Amino acid sequence: MFKDLEGKVVVITGAGGGIGKSFAENFGQAKAKVVLSYRSAKHKENLEALKAEIIKAGGDAIAVQGDVSNESDIIDLIQTAVNHFGTLDIMINNAGFERPVPSHEMTTEEWKNVIDINLTGAFIGSREAVKQFLKEDKKGVILNTSSVHDTIPWPNYVNYAASKGGMKLMMETMSMEYAQYGIRINNISPGAIVTEHTREKFSNPETRAETIDMIPSRKIGEVQEVSNVALFLASDLASYVHGTTIYVDGGMTNYPAFLGGKG
Ligand code: BGC
């Protein structure tokens, strides 16, 4: 289905788990050459297994450890991808972090940490990818993993909501600058998705019920449902899609509190 992704060089940050890992598996199945960026050494073994899985599927992969809140790590990551595979086709800024803290108790350190990873990391990843695309005169693709919280305020997660809200206008602005070169920049905004990061919270019956109550489709999403959209947006099927956000959220962003015609 996504034939044109075969042989494409795709860098994925936050590939050690969750949505990023699913992206990696799916691009591997599409026979892409995947550069797996991960931060925590605890992911090292998983990364080896993931690499093997991608190669078995007919793709290729390397794993690169680094921290997206560290500018030189991102610059090195793109350089490693280009040195190893000869080019860059697709950059996926997926690494992200969230932890609830009421705003009045949030330290400046906690604020900055989330902004650095989620927003500044994605900006530097986008900037470096654009530089490489322009250098190669390539119609490259950039995807950012955002969130429904790029538009829905999220109490106790002010740093996260601010980072994703910022990511929306960052993407739209950069798309406006570089669409003329055929560079496509878009966001994917997942809602409540089961990953190893959220499995615990969604297995709590109360939180699960509360969450489902906010989803018109009455279902918590699967990582595969997010990956399907990433494959589409990265492929030529999306050749005229620039500067937009696809919400993969079971309808969560459509004011579910009004379900049933309330108010
Ligand atoms: C967060 C999830 C949350 C979902 C819906 C996502 O951005 O990562 O933890 O369940 O938004 O609130």
Side-chain angles (χ1 to χ4, degrees):
M1 179 143 192
F2 301 106
K3 270 260 158 248
D4 63 284
L5 294 178
E6 187 170 337
K8 290 270 165 73
V9 178
V10 49
V11 173
I12 304 172
T13 66
I19 291 172
K21 178 169 177 244
S22 172
F23 285 171
E25 289 166 346
N26 277 272
F27 279 89
Q29 279 152 21
K31 299 184 170 45
K33 296 171 179 167
V34 192
V35 180
L36 307 158
S37 157
Y38 68 103
R39 177 170 68 166
S40 169
K42 73 170 194 258
H43 287 311
K44 210 169 168 152
E45 260 174 45
N46 295 348
L47 262 298
E48 285 309 310
L50 184 55
K51 247 169 68 176
E53 186 187 328
I54 292 170
I55 292 166
K56 196 165 162 230
D60 203 351
I62 54 167
V64 183
Q65 192 173 8
D67 179 347
V68 298
S69 65
N70 185 343
E71 179 164 22
S72 62
D73 282 10
I74 306 179
I75 295 171
D76 288 352
L77 172 66
I78 305 269
Q79 273 325 303
T80 306
V82 173
N83 293 342
H84 191 86
F85 288 125
T87 187
L88 175 72
D89 296 290
I90 301 156
M91 175 69 190
I92 306 187
N93 296 300
N94 168 76
F97 181 70
E98 70 191 55
R99 185 159 50 213
V101 185
S103 295
H104 70 287
E105 287 170 9
M106 187 176 288
T107 64
T108 307
E109 209 47 44
E110 285 167 327
W111 166 270
K112 280 189 181 158
N113 185 36
V114 167
I115 298 290
D116 284 354
I117 296 170
N118 296 9
L119 181 58
T120 311
F123 167 66
I124 297 170
S126 302
R127 183 190 71 198
E128 294 306 308
V130 166
K131 276 189 203 165
Q132 186 62 32
F133 296 153
L134 293 177
K135 190 164 143 191
E136 292 187 42
D137 196 13
K138 168 161 292 194
K139 295 178 169 41
V141 170
I142 297 172
L143 297 179
N144 302 301
T145 303
S146 186
S147 163
V148 290
H149 300 295
D150 60 7
T151 182
I152 305 176
W154 201 15
N156 301 324
Y157 292 86
V158 65
N159 47 4
Y160 185 81
S163 72
K164 299 301 187 180
M167 188 181 239
K168 184 165 189 289
L169 275 169
M170 175 193 83
M171 174 279 289
E172 290 169 1
T173 301
M174 292 187 78
S175 172
M176 207 181 270
E177 283 179 76
Y178 301 107
Q180 61 187 308
Y181 304 105
I183 296 172
R184 295 190 304 101
I185 311 179
N186 293 289
N187 283 5
I188 300 175
S189 288
I193 307 293
V194 198
T195 67
E196 66 265 36
H197 310 298
T198 58
R199 186 160 286 123
E200 202 184 313
K201 107 172 154 177
F202 293 140
S203 58
N204 172 328
E206 210 174 300
T207 311
R208 194 181 173 79
E210 233 174 60
T211 305
I212 288 177
D213 213 34
M214 297 189 293
I215 308 172
S217 72
R218 296 294 185 227
K219 171 185 163 301
I220 291 179
E222 306 291 332
V223 284
Q224 187 57 49
E225 296 176 294
V226 184
S227 287
N228 294 342
V229 175
L231 290 170
F232 163 70
L233 282 176
S235 79
D236 289 346
L237 287 180
S239 55
Y240 199 50
V241 182
H242 287 265
T244 199
T245 298
I246 299 190
Y247 290 89
V248 187
D249 68 348
M252 194 186 236
T253 38
N254 285 330
Y255 300 94
F258 285 86
L259 256 175
K262 292 182 203 157

